Amino acid sequence: MKLILAILATIALMDGAAIAAPPEQCDVPQSFVESETDLTRVMNATKTKHRLDISVIGSGSSVLSGPDGARFAYPARLEDALKQRLTGFDIKVTAHVQPKQITANMALGLGKILSEDKPTLVIWQAGTADALSGVEPEEFRGSLDDGVDRIQSAGADVILMNMQYSPRTESMLDVSTYADIMHWVAQQRGALLFDRLAIMHYWNDAGTFDLYTATKKYDMARRVHDCIGRALASQIINAAHLDAVRMQTTR
């Protein structure tokens, strides 16, 4: 229990631990946001309706603390980035975030979310709470696989987002098994994986963000979330070929 509390505290501190460069300096190599899998439902919806509804399902690392936290967390930053790059499209991102929720519990709420939001794309952030709670890897895989199947059966594309990278906690909590499972499920189900773990590891190694030093300067955490939102927007635009769609609709 003490170990879990220590890791949770470290992750919470990491929300404010990013000593960040200006936004234009937190780009990632193109390979991180490319995929051989297309977001066909997103592409078709934007072609015909000029609209994109996205539901984000996540746990604690999908939010920021404070009264304005939701405005600066990556779901809101994703919406802003998409609106900036896809002018003329109606973009809506709805966040459903419950801290400390394991994947099996999040999956229980999928029916209501899919029914009410009617999303074209679901971004599902998972893994950290399961690792902290000691959920058996096979149970995690089953919950994730069943959830992705339900989302796709409802007519939405899926992006799985894995856990944050934290050099402060990697020696205490091994998330590699859960990350591998997410990669496998994405491949088997024809979904995309947004490899947040690798992207943040890249930023830390490149000196873009210092993810080791703990600080309570939450303005810096906002920069991390902003960069995540913009990288995620790039992956969506690439996988759904939305630059081409936008050019066609503006002719």
Side-chain angles (χ1 to χ4, degrees):
M1 178 60 71
K2 289 183 178 179
L3 174 60
I4 292 176
L5 291 173
I7 292 172
L8 286 171
T10 301
I11 292 173
L13 285 172
M14 195 183 73
D15 282 344
I19 300 176
E24 63 273 11
Q25 296 182 27
C26 68
D27 292 335
V28 298
Q30 190 67 14
S31 60
F32 282 105
V33 292
E34 286 181 340
S35 174
E36 296 180 357
T37 302
D38 290 337
L39 295 174
T40 55
R41 295 174 178 90
V42 172
M43 181 172 60
N44 292 334
T46 52
K47 274 184 178 180
T48 58
K49 302 177 182 178
H50 299 174
R51 178 180 178 85
L52 178 55
D53 290 285
I54 301 174
S55 296
V56 176
I57 303 169
S59 55
S61 62
S62 296
V63 295
L64 285 171
S65 61
D68 293 327
R71 185 159 63 97
F72 294 103
Y74 77 77
R77 305 317 305 149
L78 167 64
E79 180 178 280
D80 186 68
L82 288 172
K83 286 180 176 178
Q84 287 182 24
R85 295 181 59 178
L86 299 172
T87 55
F89 290 82
D90 187 5
I91 310 290
K92 182 180 180 182
V93 178
T94 304
H96 302 271
V97 178
Q98 296 186 42
K100 303 180 183 179
Q101 286 292 301
I102 62 172
T103 300
N105 290 343
M106 286 191 284
L108 292 176
L110 282 175
K112 186 173 186 292
I113 292 170
L114 294 169
S115 175
E116 294 182 353
D117 292 359
K118 295 178 173 58
T120 306
L121 172 64
V122 174
I123 300 168
W124 192 358
Q125 175 262 309
T128 303
D130 295 84
L132 285 168
S133 301
V135 173
E136 289 295 326
E138 187 58 25
E139 181 182 345
F140 172 67
R141 186 206 61 77
S143 298
L144 196 66
D145 191 50
D146 290 346
V148 171
D149 181 57
R150 291 180 64 187
I151 294 168
Q152 292 176 331
S153 296
D157 283 323
V158 182
I159 294 178
L160 297 178
M161 176 187 290
N162 60 19
M163 54 288 298
Q164 296 185 96
Y165 170 69
S166 170
R168 292 174 59 84
T169 64
E170 63 177 343
S171 62
M172 296 184 285
L173 181 68
D174 183 10
V175 298
S176 60
T177 298
Y178 300 89
D180 289 344
I181 288 171
M182 295 186 74
H183 180 74
W184 184 87
V185 171
Q187 283 189 321
Q188 294 298 309
R189 285 290 177 180
L192 285 184
L193 176 73
F194 182 78
D195 198 347
R196 181 173 58 163
L197 184 66
I199 288 173
M200 291 181 68
H201 201 311
Y202 169 83
W203 283 335
N204 186 74
D205 290 349
T208 305
F209 296 107
D210 178 4
L211 298 176
Y212 188 85
T213 305
T215 176
K216 292 186 178 180
K217 294 181 179 179
Y218 291 105
D219 59 319
M220 297 184 183
R222 294 172 181 176
R223 297 183 187 181
V224 176
H225 275 252
D226 183 62
C227 290
I228 290 291
R230 288 189 292 110
L232 190 52
S234 292
Q235 186 183 48
I236 293 169
I237 289 170
N238 289 340
H241 309 285
L242 294 185
D243 281 331
V245 172
R246 180 175 56 82
M247 291 179 65
Q248 291 173 7
T249 59
T250 55
R251 287 176 182 174

